Amino acid sequence: MTEQSYSEKVMDHFLHPRNAGEIPDASGIGNVGNVICGDVMRMYIKVDNGIIVDAKFKTFGCGAAISTSSMVTEMVKGKTVKEALEVSNKAVAEALGGLPAVKMHCSVLAEQALKAAISDYYKRQGKDVDKGSNSQ
Ligand code: FES
């Protein structure tokens, strides 16, 4: 995999990740990992009145994993929790100007991390969760 395979936007989010870090008083935290590549992602969301007012991530993984984490946190800020559940890995990849086929699983990890954080949020609210489907 060469750098040239990545779009400018992917490289930009990889080199200058948005929302890297953690939210100490997060409303929900999601931890996911890919057993094949070993990359792991942790996503934090802060919810106020049903709106995601902040999102942050910690990713130990490849460039595409970092870029998709960065992009997904940007995409969900300001959305309702329900709207955020609709954010698919494909939408994240498209927002980044596309990903090489072998890197699509990295965007799946970002979608899963978001859904895990939302699931944790619902659980803390005492609500049942539909985690949604893996839509690679
Ligand atoms: Fe595993 Fe990118 S190579 S998330």
Side-chain angles (χ1 to χ4, degrees), residues 52-72:
I52 298 179
V53 293
D54 200 7
K56 289 197 187 294
F57 74 91
K58 276 188 170 172
T59 292
F60 300 93
C62 73
I66 290 164
S67 298
T68 53
S69 305
S70 169
M71 180 54 87
V72 82

Side-chain angles (χ1 to χ4, degrees), residues 1 5 9-10 19 32 34 49 58 64 81-82 87 89 100:
M1 180 60 47
S5 308
K9 263 195 180 166
V10 171
N19 311 309
V32 292
N34 182 304
N49 244 335
K58 276 188 170 172
V81 175
K82 268 193 181 167
V87 173
N89 75 297

Side-chain angles (χ1 to χ4, degrees), residues 6 34 36-41 61-66 102-103 105-107 109:
Y6 288 128
N34 182 304
I36 296 168
C37 65
D39 291 354
V40 291
M41 236 178 237
C62 73
I66 290 164
V102 294
K103 288 288 171 181
H105 80 273
C106 318
S107 65
L109 204 58

Side-chain angles (χ1 to χ4, degrees), residues 51-136:
I51 310 261
I52 298 179
V53 293
D54 200 7
K56 289 197 187 294
F57 74 91
K58 276 188 170 172
T59 292
F60 300 93
C62 73
I66 290 164
S67 298
T68 53
S69 305
S70 169
M71 180 54 87
V72 82
T73 51
E74 284 285 90
M75 287 171 79
V76 299
K77 275 203 273 182
K79 281 191 166 52
T80 65
V81 175
K82 268 193 181 167
E83 285 168 346
L85 275 173
E86 305 293 314
V87 173
S88 68
N89 75 297
K90 282 188 188 143
V92 174
E94 270 166 29
L96 284 167
L99 281 172
V102 294
K103 288 288 171 181
M104 279 306 282
H105 80 273
C106 318
S107 65
V108 171
L109 204 58
E111 180 189 318
Q112 289 173 338
L114 170 66
K115 288 189 168 150
I118 292 174
S119 166
D120 182 46
Y121 162 71
Y122 278 136
K123 218 178 345 171
R124 294 184 196 198
Q125 302 287 306
K127 290 182 198 154
D128 213 3
V129 200
D130 173 19
K131 279 190 183 175
S133 59
N134 180 348
S135 57
Q136 183 177 7

